[in-house]
Amino acid sequence: MRTLLSVGAALAVIYFGSTGQEGDGVTNTVLLLAVAAGLTVWYLTRPTSGKPVS
């Protein structure tokens, strides 16, 4: 499930980053943002360890 959400977030960034009015397509910045979005979702959806917060 984490993988699906991460890939979905990255693809969403690529899609919305490539459909701009300038028509430049996918740039290196969009790819970098897509990787960052994927990694962020991957990190935020990690399972908890079950330990209480101290």
Side-chain angles (χ1 to χ4, degrees), residues 1-11 38 41-43 45-46:
M1 186 65 168
R2 288 174 68 192
T3 304
L4 182 66
L5 289 174
S6 297
V7 170
L11 289 176
V41 170
W42 180 265
Y43 177 76
T45 57
R46 71 188 184 284

Side-chain angles (χ1 to χ4, degrees), residues 10-54:
L11 289 176
V13 170
I14 290 172
Y15 174 75
F16 288 113
S18 65
T19 58
Q21 294 179 356
E22 297 174 8
D24 291 339
V26 180
T27 62
N28 289 337
T29 305
V30 172
L31 291 176
L32 183 62
L33 287 173
V35 169
L39 289 175
T40 301
V41 170
W42 180 265
Y43 177 76
L44 291 176
T45 57
R46 71 188 184 284
T48 59
S49 62
K51 297 179 183 177
V53 177
S54 57

